[in-house]
Amino acid sequence: MGIYEELQERGLIAQVTDEKEVRDLVNNGKATFYIGFDPTADSLHVGHFMTLVLMKRLQEAGNKPIALLGGGTGMIGDPSGKSDMRKMLTVEDIDHNCACFKKQMERFIEFGPDKALIINNADWIRDLKYMDVLRELGPHFSVNKMLAAKCYEQRMERGLSFLEFNYMIMQAYDFYVLHEKYGCNMQFGGDDQWSNMLAGTELIRKKAGKDAYALTITLLTNSEGQKMGKTVGGAVWLDPNKTSPFDFYQYWRNVDDADVMKCIKLLTFIPMEEIRQMEKWDDSRINEKKEILAYELTKSVHGQEEADKAQKAAKALFSGEGDDDNMPTTEFTDFPQEGDQLLNILVKCGLTTSRGEGRRLIEQGGLSINGEKVDDPNMVISSSQLKEGIKIKKGKKVFHRAILK
Protein backbone atom coordinates (compact mmCIF):
# COMPACT_ATOMS: atom_id res chain seq x y z
CA MET A 1 0.00 0.00 0.00
CA GLY A 2 1.33 3.44 -0.98
CA ILE A 3 0.96 6.53 1.20
CA TYR A 4 -1.88 7.80 -1.02
CA GLU A 5 -3.85 4.60 -0.46
CA GLU A 6 -3.15 4.84 3.27
CA LEU A 7 -4.48 8.40 3.34
CA GLN A 8 -7.59 7.15 1.58
CA GLU A 9 -8.08 4.32 4.06
CA ARG A 10 -7.63 6.70 6.97
CA GLY A 11 -10.40 8.84 5.49
CA LEU A 12 -8.22 11.89 4.87
CA ILE A 13 -8.82 12.60 1.19
CA ALA A 14 -12.08 14.31 0.33
CA GLN A 15 -11.59 15.77 -3.17
CA VAL A 16 -8.76 15.73 -5.68
CA THR A 17 -8.25 17.36 -9.07
CA ASP A 18 -6.31 14.65 -10.96
CA GLU A 19 -6.22 11.47 -8.94
CA LYS A 20 -3.88 9.37 -11.06
CA GLU A 21 -1.22 12.07 -11.30
CA VAL A 22 -1.54 12.95 -7.62
CA ARG A 23 -1.30 9.30 -6.56
CA ASP A 24 1.86 8.80 -8.60
CA LEU A 25 3.54 11.94 -7.25
CA VAL A 26 2.69 11.24 -3.62
CA ASN A 27 3.51 7.53 -3.70
CA ASN A 28 6.87 8.19 -5.37
CA GLY A 29 7.85 11.01 -3.00
CA LYS A 30 7.76 13.59 -5.79
CA ALA A 31 5.19 15.97 -4.34
CA THR A 32 6.26 19.39 -3.11
CA PHE A 33 3.08 20.50 -1.42
CA TYR A 34 1.94 23.39 0.71
CA ILE A 35 -0.64 23.95 3.40
CA GLY A 36 -1.55 27.43 4.58
CA PHE A 37 -1.79 28.53 8.21
CA ASP A 38 -3.75 31.69 8.95
CA PRO A 39 -2.15 33.49 11.93
CA THR A 40 -5.31 34.68 13.70
CA ALA A 41 -4.02 33.73 17.20
CA ASP A 42 -0.69 33.27 18.97
CA SER A 43 -1.01 29.48 19.12
CA LEU A 44 -1.90 26.63 16.81
CA HIS A 45 -5.05 24.71 17.74
CA VAL A 46 -6.34 21.18 17.20
CA GLY A 47 -7.55 22.02 13.70
CA HIS A 48 -3.97 22.91 12.73
CA PHE A 49 -2.73 19.75 14.42
CA MET A 50 -4.69 17.66 11.94
CA THR A 51 -2.85 19.27 9.04
CA LEU A 52 0.52 18.95 10.78
CA VAL A 53 -0.09 15.21 11.14
CA LEU A 54 -0.80 15.01 7.41
CA MET A 55 2.38 16.94 6.60
CA LYS A 56 4.42 14.59 8.77
CA ARG A 57 2.93 11.49 7.11
CA LEU A 58 3.76 12.81 3.66
CA GLN A 59 7.24 13.93 4.65
CA GLU A 60 8.03 10.48 6.04
CA ALA A 61 7.00 9.09 2.64
CA GLY A 62 9.65 11.25 0.93
CA ASN A 63 7.54 14.25 -0.08
CA LYS A 64 8.50 17.86 0.67
CA PRO A 65 6.13 19.99 2.78
CA ILE A 66 5.89 23.77 2.72
CA ALA A 67 4.20 25.39 5.70
CA LEU A 68 2.92 28.72 4.41
CA LEU A 69 2.34 31.33 7.09
CA GLY A 70 -0.31 33.86 6.11
CA GLY A 71 1.50 37.00 7.17
CA GLY A 72 0.19 38.68 4.03
CA THR A 73 -3.25 37.14 3.50
CA GLY A 74 -3.85 37.38 7.25
CA MET A 75 -4.22 41.12 6.76
CA ILE A 76 -7.61 40.57 5.12
CA GLY A 77 -10.56 38.37 6.04
CA ASP A 78 -11.13 34.91 4.60
CA PRO A 79 -14.87 34.34 4.00
CA SER A 80 -14.56 30.57 3.58
CA GLY A 81 -17.19 28.92 5.76
CA LYS A 82 -17.78 32.07 7.78
CA SER A 83 -20.75 34.40 7.97
CA ASP A 84 -19.03 37.39 9.56
CA MET A 85 -15.99 39.40 8.60
CA ARG A 86 -12.97 38.60 10.70
CA LYS A 87 -11.50 41.10 13.15
CA MET A 88 -8.67 43.03 11.51
CA LEU A 89 -5.30 42.35 13.15
CA THR A 90 -2.39 44.76 13.28
CA VAL A 91 0.80 43.94 11.39
CA GLU A 92 2.58 43.57 14.73
CA ASP A 93 0.01 41.03 15.95
CA ILE A 94 0.24 39.06 12.72
CA ASP A 95 4.03 38.93 12.82
CA HIS A 96 3.96 37.85 16.48
CA ASN A 97 1.46 35.09 15.71
CA CYS A 98 3.55 33.87 12.78
CA ALA A 99 6.60 33.63 15.04
CA CYS A 100 4.60 31.58 17.57
CA PHE A 101 3.35 29.27 14.82
CA LYS A 102 6.86 28.69 13.51
CA LYS A 103 8.17 27.72 16.94
CA GLN A 104 5.34 25.23 17.50
CA MET A 105 5.59 23.69 14.04
CA GLU A 106 9.24 22.82 14.56
CA ARG A 107 8.15 20.26 17.15
CA PHE A 108 6.30 18.25 14.51
CA ILE A 109 7.94 18.82 11.12
CA GLU A 110 11.60 18.46 10.17
CA PHE A 111 12.65 21.75 8.59
CA GLY A 112 15.91 22.58 6.86
CA PRO A 113 17.78 22.39 3.52
CA ASP A 114 16.23 19.70 1.30
CA LYS A 115 13.61 19.10 4.00
CA ALA A 116 10.43 21.00 4.86
CA LEU A 117 10.20 24.78 4.44
CA ILE A 118 8.48 27.49 6.45
CA ILE A 119 7.62 30.45 4.24
CA ASN A 120 5.67 33.62 4.97
CA ASN A 121 3.55 35.05 2.16
CA ALA A 122 4.13 38.51 3.61
CA ASP A 123 7.40 38.34 1.67
CA TRP A 124 5.54 38.94 -1.58
CA ILE A 125 1.99 40.03 -0.77
CA ARG A 126 2.79 43.08 1.37
CA ASP A 127 4.91 44.59 -1.40
CA LEU A 128 2.35 44.11 -4.17
CA LYS A 129 1.20 47.23 -6.00
CA TYR A 130 -2.43 47.51 -6.97
CA MET A 131 -1.86 48.17 -10.66
CA ASP A 132 0.60 45.28 -10.86
CA VAL A 133 -2.03 42.95 -9.37
CA LEU A 134 -4.62 44.11 -11.90
CA ARG A 135 -2.27 43.65 -14.85
CA GLU A 136 -0.68 40.39 -13.76
CA LEU A 137 -3.61 38.54 -12.20
CA GLY A 138 -6.81 40.29 -13.27
CA PRO A 139 -7.03 38.75 -16.78
CA HIS A 140 -6.96 35.24 -15.34
CA PHE A 141 -10.03 35.55 -13.07
CA SER A 142 -13.70 35.58 -14.09
CA VAL A 143 -15.85 37.61 -11.69
CA ASN A 144 -18.91 35.54 -12.61
CA LYS A 145 -17.04 32.35 -11.77
CA MET A 146 -15.75 33.79 -8.49
CA LEU A 147 -19.23 34.86 -7.39
CA ALA A 148 -20.51 31.34 -8.05
CA ALA A 149 -17.90 29.84 -5.69
CA LYS A 150 -19.34 28.14 -2.62
CA CYS A 151 -16.93 29.93 -0.29
CA TYR A 152 -18.68 33.25 -1.06
CA GLU A 153 -22.24 31.96 -1.02
CA GLN A 154 -22.98 32.53 2.68
CA ARG A 155 -21.34 35.95 2.78
CA MET A 156 -23.20 37.14 -0.30
CA GLU A 157 -26.48 37.02 1.63
CA ARG A 158 -25.19 39.40 4.30
CA GLY A 159 -22.79 41.44 2.25
CA LEU A 160 -19.37 40.52 0.89
CA SER A 161 -16.77 43.26 1.14
CA PHE A 162 -14.35 43.91 -1.71
CA LEU A 163 -11.57 43.26 0.80
CA GLU A 164 -12.73 39.70 1.41
CA PHE A 165 -13.53 39.17 -2.25
CA ASN A 166 -9.82 39.42 -3.00
CA TYR A 167 -8.89 36.49 -0.77
CA MET A 168 -9.33 33.93 -3.56
CA ILE A 169 -6.99 35.90 -5.80
CA MET A 170 -4.35 36.19 -3.09
CA GLN A 171 -4.50 32.49 -2.23
CA ALA A 172 -4.21 31.57 -5.90
CA TYR A 173 -1.24 33.91 -6.20
CA ASP A 174 0.41 32.17 -3.23
CA PHE A 175 0.29 28.86 -5.08
CA TYR A 176 1.68 30.48 -8.22
CA VAL A 177 4.62 32.09 -6.36
CA LEU A 178 5.44 28.87 -4.51
CA HIS A 179 5.29 27.00 -7.81
CA GLU A 180 7.67 29.41 -9.52
CA LYS A 181 10.15 29.83 -6.63
CA TYR A 182 10.10 26.45 -4.93
CA GLY A 183 8.71 23.99 -7.46
CA CYS A 184 5.53 23.50 -5.43
CA ASN A 185 3.19 21.29 -7.45
CA MET A 186 0.44 20.48 -4.97
CA GLN A 187 -1.82 22.21 -2.45
CA PHE A 188 -3.68 20.61 0.47
CA GLY A 189 -6.48 22.24 2.43
CA GLY A 190 -9.84 21.76 4.07
CA ASP A 191 -13.09 21.23 2.16
CA ASP A 192 -14.07 24.88 2.62
CA GLN A 193 -10.99 25.92 0.62
CA TRP A 194 -11.81 23.97 -2.54
CA SER A 195 -12.81 26.96 -4.69
CA ASN A 196 -9.72 28.92 -3.68
CA MET A 197 -7.49 25.92 -4.35
CA LEU A 198 -8.97 25.34 -7.79
CA ALA A 199 -8.30 28.99 -8.60
CA GLY A 200 -4.64 28.44 -7.77
CA THR A 201 -4.27 25.34 -9.95
CA GLU A 202 -6.00 27.11 -12.85
CA LEU A 203 -3.78 30.19 -12.48
CA ILE A 204 -0.61 28.08 -12.70
CA ARG A 205 -1.91 26.18 -15.70
CA LYS A 206 -2.94 29.36 -17.51
CA LYS A 207 -0.06 31.64 -16.56
CA ALA A 208 2.83 29.16 -16.37
CA GLY A 209 1.50 26.50 -18.70
CA LYS A 210 2.43 23.79 -16.20
CA ASP A 211 0.56 21.20 -14.18
CA ALA A 212 -0.45 21.75 -10.59
CA TYR A 213 -2.81 19.80 -8.37
CA ALA A 214 -5.09 20.33 -5.41
CA LEU A 215 -6.51 18.04 -2.76
CA THR A 216 -8.89 18.72 0.05
CA ILE A 217 -8.64 16.69 3.21
CA THR A 218 -11.36 15.43 5.52
CA LEU A 219 -11.08 17.05 8.93
CA LEU A 220 -13.36 17.20 11.92
CA THR A 221 -16.18 19.59 11.14
CA ASN A 222 -16.50 22.87 13.02
CA SER A 223 -19.53 21.52 14.90
CA GLU A 224 -17.61 18.41 15.98
CA GLY A 225 -14.68 20.50 17.14
CA GLN A 226 -16.89 22.94 19.00
CA LYS A 227 -18.78 20.09 20.66
CA MET A 228 -15.57 18.56 21.97
CA GLY A 229 -14.14 21.98 22.81
CA LYS A 230 -16.90 22.45 25.38
CA THR A 231 -15.24 19.67 27.38
CA VAL A 232 -12.52 22.09 28.40
CA GLY A 233 -14.62 25.22 28.22
CA GLY A 234 -13.35 26.70 24.95
CA ALA A 235 -10.80 26.46 22.17
CA VAL A 236 -8.22 23.69 22.43
CA TRP A 237 -4.72 25.01 21.81
CA LEU A 238 -1.38 23.29 21.31
CA ASP A 239 0.30 25.82 23.60
CA PRO A 240 0.38 24.19 27.08
CA ASN A 241 -0.04 27.62 28.67
CA LYS A 242 -3.42 27.97 26.93
CA THR A 243 -4.62 24.36 27.15
CA SER A 244 -2.84 22.22 29.73
CA PRO A 245 -1.65 18.73 28.74
CA PHE A 246 -4.28 17.33 31.11
CA ASP A 247 -7.10 19.31 29.47
CA PHE A 248 -5.75 18.34 26.05
CA TYR A 249 -5.85 14.69 27.12
CA GLN A 250 -9.38 15.11 28.43
CA TYR A 251 -10.48 16.75 25.18
CA TRP A 252 -9.69 13.59 23.26
CA ARG A 253 -10.69 11.25 26.10
CA ASN A 254 -14.24 12.64 25.86
CA VAL A 255 -14.91 12.48 22.13
CA ASP A 256 -18.25 10.95 21.15
CA ASP A 257 -18.21 7.17 20.78
CA ALA A 258 -19.04 7.51 17.10
CA ASP A 259 -15.97 9.71 16.45
CA VAL A 260 -13.29 7.66 18.22
CA MET A 261 -12.16 5.46 15.34
CA LYS A 262 -12.39 8.37 12.92
CA CYS A 263 -10.00 10.37 15.12
CA ILE A 264 -7.65 7.42 15.57
CA LYS A 265 -7.41 7.00 11.80
CA LEU A 266 -7.01 10.69 11.03
CA LEU A 267 -4.66 11.74 13.79
CA THR A 268 -2.56 8.91 15.22
CA PHE A 269 0.40 7.09 13.72
CA ILE A 270 -0.88 3.72 14.85
CA PRO A 271 -0.35 1.34 11.88
CA MET A 272 -3.47 0.54 9.89
CA GLU A 273 -3.03 -3.16 10.64
CA GLU A 274 -3.54 -2.44 14.34
CA ILE A 275 -6.40 -0.04 13.66
CA ARG A 276 -8.24 -2.69 11.64
CA GLN A 277 -8.00 -5.00 14.64
CA MET A 278 -9.27 -2.24 16.96
CA GLU A 279 -12.32 -1.81 14.72
CA LYS A 280 -13.25 -5.39 15.53
CA TRP A 281 -13.22 -4.80 19.28
CA ASP A 282 -16.43 -5.26 21.20
CA ASP A 283 -18.36 -2.09 22.12
CA SER A 284 -17.48 -2.71 25.76
CA ARG A 285 -13.90 -1.61 24.94
CA ILE A 286 -14.88 1.88 23.79
CA ASN A 287 -13.19 3.55 26.78
CA GLU A 288 -9.99 1.68 26.03
CA LYS A 289 -10.07 3.15 22.51
CA LYS A 290 -10.60 6.63 23.91
CA GLU A 291 -7.68 6.26 26.30
CA ILE A 292 -5.43 5.14 23.44
CA LEU A 293 -6.53 8.13 21.35
CA ALA A 294 -6.01 10.62 24.18
CA TYR A 295 -2.62 9.21 25.15
CA GLU A 296 -1.25 9.01 21.60
CA LEU A 297 -2.25 12.57 20.72
CA THR A 298 -1.05 14.05 24.01
CA LYS A 299 2.27 12.29 23.46
CA SER A 300 2.52 13.70 19.94
CA VAL A 301 1.86 17.27 21.06
CA HIS A 302 3.36 17.46 24.56
CA GLY A 303 5.74 14.50 24.78
CA GLN A 304 5.58 11.15 26.55
CA GLU A 305 6.28 12.52 30.02
CA GLU A 306 3.33 14.90 29.91
CA ALA A 307 1.13 12.19 28.37
CA ASP A 308 2.02 9.86 31.25
CA LYS A 309 1.18 12.56 33.79
CA ALA A 310 -2.15 13.35 32.12
CA GLN A 311 -3.08 9.68 32.01
CA LYS A 312 -2.27 9.20 35.71
CA ALA A 313 -4.27 12.29 36.65
CA ALA A 314 -7.26 11.09 34.62
CA LYS A 315 -7.17 7.67 36.28
CA ALA A 316 -7.02 9.31 39.69
CA LEU A 317 -10.17 11.26 38.91
CA PHE A 318 -12.25 8.68 37.13
CA SER A 319 -11.13 5.26 38.36
CA GLY A 320 -9.52 5.89 41.72
CA GLU A 321 -6.06 4.85 40.52
CA GLY A 322 -2.83 6.82 40.69
CA ASP A 323 -2.57 10.31 42.22
CA ASP A 324 -3.89 13.75 41.32
CA ASP A 325 -0.58 15.63 41.50
CA ASN A 326 -0.75 16.22 37.76
CA MET A 327 -4.20 17.78 37.77
CA PRO A 328 -4.25 21.35 36.34
CA THR A 329 -3.41 23.55 39.34
CA THR A 330 -3.49 27.25 40.15
CA GLU A 331 -1.29 28.43 42.99
CA PHE A 332 -2.36 31.45 45.04
CA THR A 333 0.18 33.64 46.80
CA ASP A 334 -2.50 35.79 48.44
CA PHE A 335 -5.76 34.67 50.00
CA PRO A 336 -8.78 35.87 47.95
CA GLN A 337 -10.89 38.70 49.35
CA GLU A 338 -13.49 37.88 51.99
CA GLY A 339 -17.05 37.43 50.75
CA ASP A 340 -16.24 36.48 47.16
CA GLN A 341 -13.46 33.98 47.76
CA LEU A 342 -15.00 31.11 45.78
CA LEU A 343 -16.10 33.27 42.86
CA ASN A 344 -12.68 34.92 42.74
CA ILE A 345 -11.01 31.53 42.88
CA LEU A 346 -13.03 30.33 39.87
CA VAL A 347 -11.99 33.38 37.85
CA LYS A 348 -8.34 33.10 38.90
CA CYS A 349 -8.30 29.42 37.89
CA GLY A 350 -9.73 30.25 34.47
CA LEU A 351 -12.84 28.16 35.10
CA THR A 352 -15.12 31.17 34.60
CA THR A 353 -14.56 34.51 32.93
CA SER A 354 -16.32 36.53 35.63
CA ARG A 355 -17.84 36.25 39.12
CA GLY A 356 -21.27 36.53 37.51
CA GLU A 357 -20.60 33.51 35.34
CA GLY A 358 -19.40 31.64 38.42
CA ARG A 359 -22.57 32.54 40.30
CA ARG A 360 -24.73 31.21 37.45
CA LEU A 361 -22.66 28.02 37.26
CA ILE A 362 -23.28 27.35 40.96
CA GLU A 363 -26.98 28.22 40.77
CA GLN A 364 -27.35 25.71 37.92
CA GLY A 365 -25.73 22.95 40.00
CA GLY A 366 -22.58 22.71 37.89
CA LEU A 367 -19.87 23.02 40.54
CA SER A 368 -18.44 20.71 43.21
CA ILE A 369 -15.68 21.25 45.76
CA ASN A 370 -13.82 18.20 47.10
CA GLY A 371 -16.62 15.96 45.86
CA GLU A 372 -19.47 17.98 47.40
CA LYS A 373 -21.90 19.93 45.20
CA VAL A 374 -21.89 23.67 45.89
CA ASP A 375 -25.30 25.38 46.09
CA ASP A 376 -24.25 28.68 47.67
CA PRO A 377 -22.29 31.21 45.55
CA ASN A 378 -21.16 32.87 48.79
CA MET A 379 -19.65 29.69 50.19
CA VAL A 380 -16.67 30.51 52.40
CA ILE A 381 -13.31 28.89 51.65
CA SER A 382 -10.98 29.18 54.65
CA SER A 383 -7.27 29.87 54.30
CA SER A 384 -6.52 26.49 55.89
CA GLN A 385 -8.67 24.73 53.28
CA LEU A 386 -6.90 26.53 50.48
CA LYS A 387 -3.49 25.74 51.97
CA GLU A 388 -4.37 22.05 51.87
CA GLY A 389 -5.69 22.48 48.35
CA ILE A 390 -9.24 22.20 47.08
CA LYS A 391 -10.35 20.05 44.17
CA ILE A 392 -12.86 21.84 41.91
CA LYS A 393 -15.12 20.01 39.48
CA LYS A 394 -16.91 22.03 36.82
CA GLY A 395 -19.67 20.17 35.06
CA LYS A 396 -18.94 16.49 34.54
CA LYS A 397 -15.50 16.53 32.98
CA VAL A 398 -13.48 19.61 33.96
CA PHE A 399 -11.25 19.33 37.03
CA HIS A 400 -8.91 21.85 38.63
CA ARG A 401 -7.01 22.22 41.87
CA ALA A 402 -6.45 25.48 43.75
CA ILE A 403 -3.85 25.80 46.48
CA LEU A 404 -2.48 28.62 48.64
CA LYS A 405 1.31 28.67 48.81
Side-chain angles (χ1 to χ4, degrees):
M1 179 189 293
I3 184 62
Y4 185 84
E5 288 74 23
E6 180 178 341
L7 296 180
Q8 283 184 312
E9 185 173 2
R10 288 182 179 272
L12 273 159
I13 297 177
Q15 299 179 85
V16 58
T17 53
D18 307 86
E19 187 171 39
K20 181 182 182 302
E21 291 80 358
V22 169
R23 178 189 286 109
D24 290 344
L25 285 170
V26 168
N27 282 345
N28 292 300
K30 301 297 184 182
T32 298
F33 66 96
Y34 95 90
I35 296 179
F37 295 82
D38 213 358
T40 56
D42 59 1
S43 173
L44 298 166
H45 53 66
V46 292
H48 296 124
F49 175 62
M50 297 175 190
T51 57
L52 290 171
V53 169
L54 173 66
M55 294 174 76
K56 187 173 182 179
R57 291 190 204 280
L58 290 169
Q59 183 177 43
E60 291 179 347
N63 298 286
K64 185 174 183 179
I66 298 176
L68 183 67
L69 302 176
T73 45
M75 298 179 71
I76 63 174
D78 174 13
S80 300
K82 303 174 182 69
S83 59
D84 297 314
M85 185 171 172
R86 164 186 305 157
K87 175 185 176 183
M88 200 73 70
L89 297 175
T90 66
V91 172
E92 292 75 19
D93 285 340
I94 292 171
D95 289 345
H96 171 72
N97 293 347
C98 285
C100 292
F101 277 24
K102 181 177 180 180
K103 186 176 180 179
Q104 289 181 326
M105 287 177 182
E106 290 172 344
R107 296 188 56 190
F108 302 96
I109 309 300
E110 191 174 1
F111 294 100
D114 300 321
K115 296 178 182 177
L117 301 174
I118 294 183
I119 300 171
N120 192 329
N121 65 14
D123 294 344
W124 55 85
I125 286 183
R126 290 184 187 176
D127 292 332
L128 283 176
K129 296 180 179 179
Y130 187 63
M131 293 307 299
D132 292 340
V133 172
L134 291 179
R135 287 173 60 87
E136 185 176 357
L137 303 179
H140 301 288
F141 288 85
S142 162
V143 172
N144 290 347
K145 192 171 183 179
M146 290 174 70
L147 288 174
K150 188 173 181 60
C151 63
Y152 291 125
E153 185 177 302
Q154 192 174 24
R155 288 290 291 136
M156 285 290 290
E157 297 176 1
R158 301 189 181 187
L160 177 67
S161 73
F162 183 70
L163 180 71
E164 296 171 286
F165 185 62
N166 279 270
Y167 197 93
M168 179 184 289
I169 298 174
M170 293 298 95
Q171 184 168 334
Y173 188 58
D174 281 344
F175 198 1
Y176 174 75
V177 172
L178 293 174
H179 180 276
E180 294 297 293
K181 288 189 175 183
Y182 304 99
C184 182
N185 54 20
M186 199 173 296
Q187 178 182 7
F188 281 80
D191 270 346
D192 61 340
Q193 293 291 316
W194 184 238
S195 298
N196 293 347
M197 293 165 65
L198 287 179
T201 61
E202 291 177 7
L203 179 62
I204 292 172
R205 290 174 179 179
K206 290 178 181 178
K207 192 170 175 60
K210 298 178 181 178
D211 285 331
Y213 309 99
L215 296 87
T216 61
I217 54 179
T218 301
L219 303 177
L220 290 176
T221 64
N222 287 336
S223 60
E224 287 172 323
Q226 290 169 1
K227 180 173 60 179
M228 289 191 290
K230 291 178 181 177
T231 298
V232 294
V236 180
W237 306 98
L238 304 194
D239 184 342
N241 295 315
K242 286 179 171 287
T243 299
S244 71
F246 175 83
D247 283 337
F248 188 84
Y249 180 96
Q250 286 300 101
Y251 173 82
W252 298 109
R253 175 62 180 81
N254 292 299
V255 299
D256 282 354
D257 292 358
D259 294 329
V260 177
M261 290 309 303
K262 175 182 179 181
C263 292
I264 287 175
K265 290 179 181 179
L266 289 175
L267 302 172
T268 75
F269 288 89
I270 297 173
M272 282 306 303
E273 294 81 1
E274 294 182 30
I275 292 176
R276 293 187 201 107
Q277 291 302 314
M278 291 175 66
E279 289 182 308
K280 299 176 183 178
W281 289 1
D282 186 85
D283 290 344
S284 63
R285 300 181 70 181
I286 187 64
N287 286 328
E288 186 178 348
K289 292 179 182 179
K290 290 184 179 183
E291 289 171 358
I292 290 171
L293 171 67
Y295 183 82
E296 289 296 321
L297 298 191
T298 307
K299 183 173 68 174
S300 293
V301 174
H302 298 294
Q304 184 169 345
E305 182 178 353
E306 291 298 332
D308 289 340
K309 290 179 181 179
Q311 187 178 63
K312 288 179 181 178
K315 287 182 177 180
L317 293 168
F318 297 108
S319 62
E321 301 175 23
D323 57 63
D324 60 5
D325 290 342
N326 299 306
M327 186 189 304
T329 300
T330 299
E331 295 184 352
F332 289 79
T333 55
D334 297 308
F335 188 62
Q337 295 179 357
E338 292 292 334
D340 281 335
Q341 305 102 321
L342 179 55
L343 299 179
N344 284 335
I345 288 171
L346 294 178
V347 174
K348 178 71 174 179
C349 292
L351 295 171
T352 62
T353 58
S354 66
R355 289 194 296 270
E357 181 184 336
R359 186 176 294 275
R360 290 190 294 273
L361 176 67
I362 293 169
E363 290 172 347
Q364 294 166 6
L367 192 79
S368 297
I369 300 291
N370 294 336
E372 298 291 332
K373 182 167 288 189
V374 177
D375 55 15
D376 181 7
N378 299 313
M379 175 182 176
V380 174
I381 304 293
S382 68
S383 58
S384 60
Q385 283 179 299
L386 199 56
K387 284 180 180 178
E388 290 181 5
I390 59 172
K391 189 183 298 183
I392 305 170
K393 181 181 179 184
K394 175 186 174 183
K396 296 181 178 180
K397 300 171 181 176
V398 178
F399 294 84
H400 202 94
R401 187 172 60 168
I403 189 167
L404 179 63
K405 291 294 187 180

